[in-house]
Amino acid sequence: GLVRVGHTLYVVQNRLNLVSVWRLDRSLRSATLLGSITDPRFDVPATAARWRDRLYLVNARFTSPQEPDT
């Protein structure tokens, strides 16, 4: 998943369980890595969405056991 907010690009890297944060140049043709966001609650994030000042991730939960309550 990709989310762009102005000149900031959030890139969901699902198998790495992180979101990399990039600063886009004025032409939007190149970017500089600002850092990454990770959390132990990430379980293969699949995509992201922005609402107000928050970034929400969808966990695919590929590593969770497949049981009726999961």
Side-chain angles (χ1 to χ4, degrees):
L2 301 171
V3 176
R4 185 173 69 92
V5 180
H7 286 270
T8 303
L9 180 66
Y10 298 92
V11 180
V12 178
Q13 296 180 282
N14 52 20
R15 293 295 182 177
L16 298 177
N17 284 323
L18 65 85
V19 178
S20 55
V21 183
W22 299 83
R23 177 71 180 162
L24 299 166
D25 71 357
R26 293 177 67 184
S27 68
L28 305 177
R29 291 180 181 222
S30 65
T32 303
L33 180 63
L34 297 177
S36 61
I37 302 168
T38 190
D39 189 286
R41 295 172 291 182
F42 289 179
D43 186 4
V44 190
T47 192
R50 180 177 172 240
W51 190 70
R52 297 192 181 181
D53 64 343
R54 302 221 177 213
L55 186 69
Y56 290 88
L57 296 177
V58 175
N59 271 331
R61 298 183 67 182
F62 292 144
T63 62
S64 297
Q66 299 301 308
E67 299 174 5
D69 62 342
T70 56

